[in-house]
C-alpha cells in the first residue's frame, strides 16, 4: 500500500527516500553558477550582516532604538517607514490620518532624516531602507545628510529596496504608472553608478510576494523575473550590465519548510547566474546573486506568541544554511504589534547564537551532497523556470503585471494555503492544533496617536523657517525634468537640500506622471 503523499508548499512531491541526487554536484563555492555560495569561504571569512529592521513613531524615537541596537551588536541598520512616507504623503495630508508612525518611522523632510541618524556616522555603517515608490527621495535625503556630515559619498554603502514591480504585484504602495516608475528606478541606477558606486541601488524583493501568499517556487520565479525586467530596463538606458548588476541585491523571505527554503536560496543563485550571463554579463561579480533574508512575518501567530521564537530560529538557520549575506530575525510579538525592545533583543541573540555557538558556519555549504537537497534544488529550479518562461512569453514582468497574471497566481496560492489551514491539512501549532485557552496577554508595543500632531508641528515650523522661493524653484525644475528625459536624481537632491518635503517632491512628479 503506497505511503502518504507529502509535498512542499510549492506542490513538489517529497519522496520517502532519496538514494541519489537529480544531478551530480561538481561545482565549488565562489564559482559559476554559485549554487554553493558566492564566496569561496562564506562565513569562515566573516559572518553574515546581522541587520535588525526597526523604525516607528518619530525620527527621534527611532534614533534611540538604533543606538540601542548598535550597542547590542547589530552590524547594520534597516529602516522601516510608515505608510504615508511609503506612498508620498506628508504627515499633515488628510490620507495620513491614523497611519503616521504606525508601521515605521515618519519622514517628511531632510530635518527628520537628520534626527533619525543623529549621532550616527553614515560612512561607518551600512543602512538598508525598505522603501519603494519614494526610494529616490529617501536616498536623496540620506545623501544630503551624508554630505552635511562630510562623508565620502564614494564610500557610502547600503541598500534601498526600490523594487516597484512587486508593489504592483503584491503589496500596493505604488504611486506612478509602471513605465514612469521604471524610469525613476533606472535614473537611480545611472546616478549611483558614478556618485555612489558602493550603494546597492535596488533590493529585488521576493519577501512581500511571499507575504502576500505565494509559494516558495512562485517567490523564486516572480522575483527573478522582476530582476530580469530591471536588467533589461537598465540596458535599454545604455548602462553596462557588468557595472550595474554588481549593485543589484535581492531580498527573500524564509518560511517554515526548512529544506524547501534552503533549496530556494541555492536555486536562486544558480538561476540568476545563468540569467545575467545570457543577458551579457561576463564579470563573475555581476553574475552573483547577493541577498538579504527576513524570517517570515506571515508565519508568526498571535496565539501562543512565544512559539514564534522557535519558528524564527528554524527560519534563521535555514537562511544561514542557504547562504544569506544579511539577515533580519523577527520579534516573537510581531503578530501583535511592532516589536518591543525585549523581543528585538531575543531576535538579535538568535542570530548571534547561530553564528557563534551552533557550528554551522564552520564549513561552506554543509548540506551540499545531500541526495535530498540536491534533488529538491534542481526540482525548484525547473518549477520556477516554467513560470519565468511564461512571463517571458507575455513580454516580461511589467506586461505580466499589467495583465494581472502574477497577482492572480499569488491570490490562488494564498487561497489554497488558507483553505489547508482551515481544514487542518496544514498544521499551525497553537492555532489549529495543540491549542489552549489564552491566559494573560504579553506586553505589546504601542505607538501614541499624538505622533501625527507632533509631525504637523515640525512641518509648520519647517515651512516658516526655510527659503520657500528656493523650494519652489527646485520643485519647478524637477517638474520640468520629469517632462523631459533628464536624470531626475540631481533635481530630487536639490529639492531635498532646499528642505522641500517628501509630499511636495512626490506631488511635483504626480503632476507630470499621474497616479496609477
Amino acid at each position: 500500500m503506497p505511503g502518504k503523499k507529502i509535498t512542499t508548499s510549492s506542490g513538489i512531491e517529497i519522496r520517502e527516500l532519496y538514494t541519489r541526487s537529480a544531478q551530480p554536484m561538481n561545482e565549488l563555492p565562489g564559482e559559476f553558477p554559485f549554487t554553493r555560495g558566492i564566496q569561496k569561504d562564506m562565513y569562515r571569512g566573516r559572518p553574515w550582516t546581522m541587520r535588525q529592521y526597526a523604525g516607528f513613531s518619530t525620527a527621534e524615537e527611532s534614533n534611540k532604538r538604533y543606538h540601542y541596537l548598535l550597542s547590542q551588536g547589530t552590524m547594520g541598520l534597516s529602516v522601516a517607514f510608515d505608510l504615508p512616507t511609503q506612498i508620498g504623503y506628508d504627515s499633515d495630508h488628510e490620507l495620513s490620518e491614523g497611519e503616521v508612525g504606525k508601521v515605521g518611522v515618519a519622514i517628511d523632510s531632510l530635518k527628520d532624516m537628520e534626527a533619525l541618524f543623529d549621532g550616527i556616522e553614515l560612512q561607518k555603517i551600512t543602512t538598508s531602507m525598505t522603501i519603494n515608490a519614494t526610494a529616490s527621495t529617501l536616498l536623496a535625503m540620506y545623501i544630503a545628510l551624508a554630505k552635511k556630515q562630510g562623508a565620502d559619498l564614494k564610500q557610502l554603502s547600503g541598500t534601498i529596496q526600490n523594487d516597484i514591480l512587486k508593489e504592483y504585484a503584491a503589496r500596493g504602495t505604488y504611486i506612478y504608472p509602471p513605465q514612469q516608475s521604471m524610469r525613476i528606478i533606472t535614473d537611480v541606477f545611472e546616478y549611483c553608478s558614478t556618485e555612489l558606486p558602493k550603494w546597492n541601488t535596488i533590493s529585488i524583493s521576493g519577501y512581500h510576494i511571499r507575504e502576500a501568499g505565494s509559494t516558495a517556487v512562485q517567490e523564486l520565479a516572480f522575483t527573478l523575473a522582476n530582476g530580469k525586467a530591471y536588467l533589461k530596463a537598465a540596458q535599454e538606458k545604455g548602462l553596462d550590465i557588468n557595472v550595474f548588476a554588481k549593485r543589484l541585491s535581492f531580498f527573500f523571505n524564509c518560511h517554515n519548510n526548512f529544506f524547501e527554503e534552503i533549496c530556494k536560496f541555492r536555486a536562486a543563485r544558480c538561476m540568476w547566474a545563468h540569467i545575467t550571463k545570457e543577458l551579457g554579463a561576463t564579470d563573475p561579480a555581476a553574475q552573483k546573486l547577493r541577498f538579504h533574508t527576513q524570517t517570515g512575518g506571515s508565519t508568526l501567530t498571535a496565539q501562543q506568541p512565544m512559539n514564534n521564537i522557535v519558528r524564527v530560529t528554524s527560519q534563521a538557520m535555514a537562511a544561514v544554511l542557504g547562504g544569506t549575506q544579511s539577515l533580519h530575525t523577527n520579534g516573537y510579538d510581531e503578530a501583535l504589534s511592532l516589536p518591543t525592545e525585549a523581543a528585538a533583543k531575543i531576535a538579535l541573540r538568535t542570530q548571534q547564537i547561530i553564528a557563534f555557538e551552533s557550528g554551522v558556519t564552520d564549513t561552506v555549504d554543509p548540506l551540499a551532497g545531500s541526495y535530498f537537497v540536491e534533488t529538491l534544488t534542481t526540482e525548484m529550479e525547473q518549477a520556477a523556470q516554467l513560470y519565468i518562461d511564461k512571463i517571458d512569453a507575455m513580454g516580461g514582468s511589467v506586461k505580466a503585471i499589467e495583465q494581472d497574471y502574477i497577482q492572480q497566481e499569488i491570490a490562488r496560492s494564498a487561497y489554497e494555503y488558507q483553505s489547508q489551514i482551515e481544514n487542518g491539512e496544514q498544521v499551525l501549532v497553537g492555532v489549529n492544533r495543540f491549542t489552549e485557552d489564552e491566559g494573560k496577554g504579553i506586553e505589546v508595543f504601542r505607538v501614541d496617536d499624538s505622533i501625527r500632531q507632533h509631525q504637523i508641528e515640525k512641518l509648520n515650523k519647517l515651512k516658516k523657517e526655510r527659503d520657500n522661493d528656493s523650494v519652489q524653484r527646485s520643485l519647478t525644475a524637477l517638474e520640468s525634468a520629469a517632462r523631459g528625459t533628464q536624470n531626475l536624481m540631481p533635481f530630487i537632491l536639490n529639492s531635498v537640500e532646499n528642505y522641500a518635503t517628501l509630499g511636495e517632491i512626490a506631488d511635483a512628479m504626480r503632476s507630470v506622471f499621474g497616479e496609477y
Side-chain angles (χ1 to χ4, degrees):
M1 184 175 176
K4 177 185 176 185
K5 182 178 179 180
I6 297 174
T7 65
T8 69
S9 78
S10 308
I12 296 172
E13 185 172 356
I14 303 300
R15 301 198 292 273
E16 185 173 309
L17 180 66
Y18 292 78
T19 56
R20 62 178 182 176
S21 61
Q23 69 184 78
M25 284 291 295
N26 298 317
E27 64 194 56
L28 295 172
E31 295 183 6
F32 187 90
F34 313 106
T35 311
R36 298 194 62 191
I38 60 170
Q39 291 113 9
K40 290 184 178 179
D41 60 352
M42 285 303 287
Y43 307 133
R44 285 171 67 96
R46 68 179 180 90
W48 63 92
T49 300
M50 299 176 195
R51 189 187 298 283
Q52 288 305 103
Y53 185 51
F56 57 90
S57 182
T58 62
E60 292 81 3
E61 287 301 311
S62 291
N63 176 261
K64 293 175 186 176
R65 178 67 66 89
Y66 294 158
H67 279 284
Y68 170 76
L69 288 170
L70 289 168
S71 74
Q72 294 298 308
T74 288
M75 297 151 67
L77 296 177
S78 186
V79 185
F81 298 95
D82 73 356
L83 282 173
T85 302
Q86 291 179 45
I87 52 177
Y89 293 132
D90 290 333
S91 296
D92 59 359
H93 193 284
E94 61 182 3
L95 294 179
S96 298
E97 187 171 356
E99 293 293 348
V100 176
K102 289 294 175 71
V103 299
V105 62
I107 300 292
D108 290 322
S109 73
L110 178 56
K111 285 284 187 189
D112 286 327
M113 189 66 81
E114 291 165 359
L116 186 66
F117 291 101
D118 184 41
I120 299 171
E121 292 185 58
L122 301 189
Q123 195 172 319
K124 292 185 177 179
I125 62 166
T126 65
T127 302
S128 174
M129 293 188 278
T130 304
I131 195 76
N132 299 287
T134 54
S136 56
T137 304
L138 271 297
L139 177 60
M141 290 181 186
Y142 196 84
I143 293 168
L145 177 56
K147 287 168 67 176
K148 294 184 79 168
Q149 290 185 355
D152 179 359
L153 298 186
K154 296 281 194 291
Q155 300 303 314
L156 213 60
S157 63
T159 304
I160 43 171
Q161 191 162 104
N162 204 25
D163 173 11
I164 204 66
L165 291 180
K166 66 92 176 50
E167 294 296 326
Y168 299 111
R171 195 163 171 271
T173 61
Y174 45 77
I175 302 174
Y176 318 108
Q179 296 296 341
Q180 286 76 13
S181 293
M182 290 293 281
R183 174 194 168 179
I184 297 169
I185 287 169
T186 53
D187 280 356
V188 172
F189 289 173
E190 183 179 52
Y191 179 85
C192 290
S193 67
T194 56
E195 302 300 318
L196 275 76
K198 290 190 174 182
W199 193 269
N200 297 322
T201 49
I202 190 168
S203 177
I204 303 159
S205 177
Y207 184 86
H208 304 95
I209 291 170
R210 193 67 179 280
E211 289 293 284
S214 81
T215 66
V217 161
Q218 288 173 334
E219 179 192 0
L220 173 60
F222 299 156
T223 305
L224 296 187
N226 288 348
K228 283 183 73 172
Y230 293 124
L231 288 178
K232 289 181 177 180
Q235 287 181 310
E236 288 169 6
K237 203 174 181 70
L239 300 181
D240 182 354
I241 191 170
N242 282 313
V243 176
F244 75 82
K246 295 176 185 176
R247 300 267 54 94
L248 271 59
S249 66
F250 287 80
F251 173 25
F252 286 113
N253 210 313
C254 198
H255 269 224
N256 288 330
N257 191 313
F258 189 74
F259 287 103
E260 183 180 34
E261 296 301 312
I262 292 167
C263 295
K264 178 185 74 182
F265 300 134
R266 300 174 88 248
R269 276 192 296 272
C270 180
M271 295 179 74
W272 186 246
H274 286 289
I275 287 169
T276 53
K277 188 175 182 178
E278 287 165 8
L279 289 175
T282 55
D283 186 336
Q287 300 167 341
K288 293 178 179 180
L289 181 144
R290 299 167 298 118
F291 69 100
H292 169 73
T293 308
Q294 182 174 339
T295 56
S298 62
T299 69
L300 304 179
T301 63
Q303 301 91 333
Q304 301 177 27
M306 299 305 283
N307 293 347
N308 293 327
I309 296 174
V310 182
R311 292 186 179 101
V312 168
T313 302
S314 174
Q315 293 164 8
M317 185 71 84
V320 170
L321 289 171
T324 193
Q325 276 59 68
S326 68
L327 178 61
H328 165 80
T329 32
N330 288 328
Y332 63 81
D333 52 1
E334 288 190 53
L336 299 165
S337 71
L338 290 168
T340 58
E341 198 168 277
K345 182 191 286 187
I346 289 173
L348 176 59
R349 293 289 182 259
T350 299
Q351 293 199 50
Q352 291 166 336
I353 289 168
I354 291 171
F356 301 111
E357 296 185 23
S358 72
V360 298
T361 61
D362 293 345
T363 189
V364 181
D365 195 19
L367 294 180
S370 157
Y371 296 146
F372 176 40
V373 168
E374 302 296 2
T375 300
L376 185 55
T377 299
T378 299
E379 289 174 343
M380 293 193 76
E381 286 179 35
Q382 293 168 344
Q385 191 60 51
L386 291 175
Y387 275 113
I388 292 175
D389 290 345
K390 189 164 187 177
I391 291 168
D392 284 345
M394 293 179 178
S397 277
V398 175
K399 296 293 185 185
I401 287 165
E402 288 175 344
Q403 294 174 41
D404 214 31
Y405 169 69
I406 293 176
Q407 298 93 310
Q408 287 180 9
E409 287 296 301
I410 294 170
R412 179 180 55 77
S413 295
Y415 175 78
E416 289 174 358
Y417 180 71
Q418 186 60 36
S419 297
Q420 289 169 357
I421 291 172
E422 291 176 5
N423 65 27
E425 185 180 343
Q426 175 68 49
V427 175
L428 281 185
V429 174
V431 177
N432 63 2
R433 198 179 299 183
F434 314 113
T435 58
E436 58 187 34
D437 292 333
E438 297 291 320
K440 183 182 177 183
I442 65 168
E443 179 186 350
V444 297
F445 186 89
R446 302 287 185 197
V447 175
D448 194 325
D449 282 328
S450 66
I451 296 304
R452 182 171 185 248
Q453 187 56 40
H454 174 71
Q455 286 295 115
I456 290 172
E457 289 168 6
K458 285 201 295 182
L459 276 167
N460 291 338
K461 185 172 186 288
L462 171 71
K463 289 176 181 178
K464 285 179 182 176
E465 294 176 348
R466 69 187 185 179
D467 182 342
N468 284 297
D469 288 337
S470 295
V471 170
Q472 192 53 54
R473 282 195 298 271
S474 65
L475 292 172
T476 300
L478 173 58
E479 272 188 49
S480 178
R483 287 194 174 89
T485 58
Q486 291 171 282
N487 190 302
L488 297 177
M489 275 301 293
F491 298 93
I492 295 170
L493 179 58
N494 184 44
S495 299
V496 160
E497 290 181 321
N498 281 308
Y499 289 93
T501 69
L502 175 96
E504 290 169 336
I505 292 168
D507 283 344
M509 290 190 280
R510 278 188 182 99
S511 69
V512 178
F513 298 147
E515 285 189 301
Y516 187 67

